[in-house]
Every structure is written in C-alpha cells, then in structure tokens.
Amino acid sequence: MHTVAVLALDGVIPFDLSTPIEVFSRTRLPDGRPGYQIRVCAEKPEIDTGVFTLRAPWGLEGLDGADTIIVPGISTPTDPLAPPVREALRRAAESGTRIASVCVGTFALAATGLLDGMRATTHWIAADMLAATHPDITVDPGVLYVDNGQFLTSAGAAAGLDLCLHMIRSDYGSAVAADSARMSVMPLEREGGQAQFILRDHAPTPRGSLLEPVLNWLQDNLGSELTLADIAARAGTSTRTLIRHFREQTGTTPLQWLHRARIRQAQHLLETTQHSVERIGTQVGFGSPTAFRDRFKRTTGVSPHAYRRSFS
C-alpha cells in the first residue's frame, strides 16, 4: 500500500492539512481495498494551528519510508524552517520520496533547496513573495499545480484537491481518480492550468445561457470540420458578436472552446478504446494526425501515445 505522510508544522492551515488526509484516505481501488495509508507527522507532539491544538501521532520519523510526503501551508509561510524538518525532507528526497506542497507550503519546500532551478507555484497572492524569497525558483502563478516528477507544488486552497487527484491518477489511473473526485464532491472540470490531466468529462456548458444550444451542437459535432463562420451561422449571429458572447459566458473563444472539447473527447477515447491515434484524431475533428498530435501535446503537455500509456 502507498504510504502518504502529511507534515504538520506550527501554524499549519487546517484546510491544507485536511485536504490530502481526506482525499487520500477515501481513495479505494477497484477491488475495494484502500489505496493509501496516511500518517500525520510533526516535529513535536503538539502543533498550534491558531484555532486548535493538534496532537500528531507520528514524529519526523514517520517521514522515513513514506512513498509521498505532503507539506501543507502555514499561516506565516516565510517563517524559518526548523533544521530537523529541513534535514528530514532532504533525507526523504535523497531516498526518492515524492514530495508535494499545498498552497503556501511551497515556501517550506523551497526552504530545503529542493526546488532550486525548478518551476513551482503557490497561492497567487504569495507568488511575488515566493519569487523574491527564492530567486532560484521559476514561479508560475497561473497554474493549479506544477509536477516536476519527484517534486510537486500546488496553488491555493482548492488547488490542493487538483494536485491530490493528479497524484492519484498517476498512481492508480483515471478510473480510481474519478471515483476519488466524486467522493470529494469535486467537479470533473476545472478551468486553467494543468487540470486536464485529471479530467475527461466534456468541457463545461453554461446552463441556461444564450450559448447553451450552440455549445450542445458543437459537442455533438466535434468530428466535423467547423469554422468560426459555421459556428456563428449556427448561433444566428455575426462572428464578432459570437466571440464577444463566448468570452463573456465561457471565458474563452469559440475555436479555443472547440479545441478543448475535442481534446477532452480524445482523452476519453485514448483511455477507453484501442483505436489508433490517427483514427481518434479524425474522430474528434482534426484534419491530420500531425495537427492532432501538436494540439494534444500543447494542451496536455504529453503526446497521445504517452497519455494512453499512463491512463488507459
């Protein structure tokens, strides 16, 4: 069983602490077995969260042998990291343990030096401070999470859920991750960043909006060759008005929405069928295998073949 150690530091943010505990502890494999064993670890027996006192059942020795360590944020993220905690995290990293931070927990992980030379994220409100405090890190405030392989960081609050589901999907596949998302009452579609790695449902339709009929039509015709003029004609409006309504109601353009919906459908087909990549590209409306592969990699960061190997 995969062991997840959640590190509680003084001033730990309760939401950041509880998110990985809840998500991982409720993850079940297809045969009903739990997917993870959880340890809550701390440097000292009692931790002050600011609103209550936490008694951790494990000391720092609980980090040893864990498959994954989660570092939640604390209320004063620039506080110095205690040397025993720094040493424990670096020792775990040397042994190959996966280490992830939630929200401003990136500051504690950064204080170990393990993120130097890497890309990372944190809560947007603290991004400038992280960049100033740790200039060797490339801070990207515009994503939900960043996966560097062994070291992962997430943005604020609910983005910790996205990161946990991403790790579950990496560990056990999309079906287990989707079940964990339902248990967390987590939407299967999250706009922005790398959320597509843990999603496979259709792009969202604003219910009751003026665009709902045309969006439903687009979803039903992903395999057709469609232009902006075709979409505007279906909507009964000019292309300029169509673009304005799309930006107002979906936050994107008609063609970007269409590309995203096609990639969602392609992900579903890659996960659930044995169709060739070329056939799937045609099924979801791309004119050539090269165009499909290019768009898929730009959207997801990986090739269709790599995605299938990971998530089928």
Side-chain angles (χ1 to χ4, degrees):
M1 185 187 302
H2 192 112
T3 299
V4 174
V6 184
L7 178 61
L9 302 173
D10 255 339
V12 67
I13 299 170
F15 187 94
D16 293 0
L17 177 73
S18 62
T19 293
I21 294 172
E22 282 294 299
V23 175
F24 287 115
S25 66
R26 295 183 184 277
T27 297
R28 292 293 179 270
L29 304 184
D31 61 5
R33 291 182 296 117
Y36 299 91
Q37 178 186 53
I38 312 299
R39 301 174 183 170
V40 178
C41 309
E43 182 190 3
K44 53 188 182 180
E46 291 191 349
I47 296 297
D48 180 13
T49 72
V51 292
F52 58 83
T53 299
L54 169 72
R55 186 179 295 276
W58 291 80
L60 293 180
E61 77 282 353
L63 304 181
D64 296 333
D67 299 289
T68 297
I69 295 173
I70 307 293
V71 184
I74 62 173
S75 56
T76 50
T78 56
D79 281 355
L81 189 64
V85 176
R86 181 186 299 107
E87 292 165 10
L89 290 174
R90 290 192 65 87
R91 186 170 60 248
E94 290 172 2
S95 70
T97 301
R98 180 175 63 183
I99 305 177
S101 63
V102 175
C103 194
V104 292
T106 304
F107 283 81
L109 185 53
T112 65
L114 295 171
L115 295 178
D116 287 356
M118 295 186 180
R119 179 168 159 262
T121 193
T122 188
H123 194 294
W124 62 267
I125 204 168
D128 288 344
M129 183 166 53
L130 179 65
T133 308
H134 300 281
D136 291 331
I137 298 173
T138 301
V139 179
D140 186 347
V143 295
L144 294 175
Y145 59 83
V146 174
D147 183 351
N148 288 299
Q150 185 180 4
F151 306 114
L152 305 90
T153 55
S154 71
L161 279 166
D162 294 285
L163 179 59
C164 290
L165 291 171
H166 170 68
M167 289 190 284
I168 292 168
R169 191 166 190 173
S170 297
D171 294 338
Y172 293 116
S174 57
V176 174
D179 183 64
S180 295
R182 285 190 292 270
M183 289 297 295
S184 300
V185 197
M186 179 71 178
L188 293 180
E189 181 79 27
R190 289 261 292 167
E191 291 294 322
Q194 300 178 61
Q196 66 273 2
F197 280 109
I198 57 169
L199 306 171
R200 68 177 183 184
D201 209 16
H202 300 310
T205 300
R207 297 299 175 190
S209 73
L210 295 175
L211 286 179
E212 184 176 357
V214 73
L215 293 181
N216 289 336
W217 174 78
L218 283 172
Q219 194 66 64
D220 291 337
N221 291 275
L222 295 179
S224 302
E225 186 174 340
L226 299 172
T227 66
L228 184 61
D230 294 330
I231 301 171
R234 180 70 185 189
T237 187
S238 68
T239 56
R240 178 178 292 184
T241 300
L242 178 74
I243 292 171
R244 177 168 57 82
H245 284 169
F246 256 82
R247 288 202 178 279
E248 289 172 351
Q249 297 180 36
T250 72
T252 188
T253 68
L255 293 181
Q256 287 172 338
W257 192 98
L258 180 61
H259 286 317
R260 191 168 68 243
R262 284 171 167 166
I263 295 301
R264 294 292 191 283
Q265 181 65 11
Q267 287 176 297
H268 176 67
L269 293 172
L270 287 166
E271 293 176 10
T272 60
T273 75
Q274 295 302 314
H275 297 171
S276 69
V277 169
E278 291 75 15
R279 178 179 173 183
I280 289 174
T282 300
Q283 284 179 275
V284 299
F286 287 92
S288 72
T290 300
F292 171 53
R293 289 188 177 94
D294 288 348
R295 175 64 63 174
F296 192 94
K297 188 162 188 177
R298 268 189 285 164
T299 302
T300 68
V302 296
S303 70
H305 285 293
Y307 184 90
R308 171 170 272 169
R309 284 196 301 270
S310 296
F311 301 130
S312 65

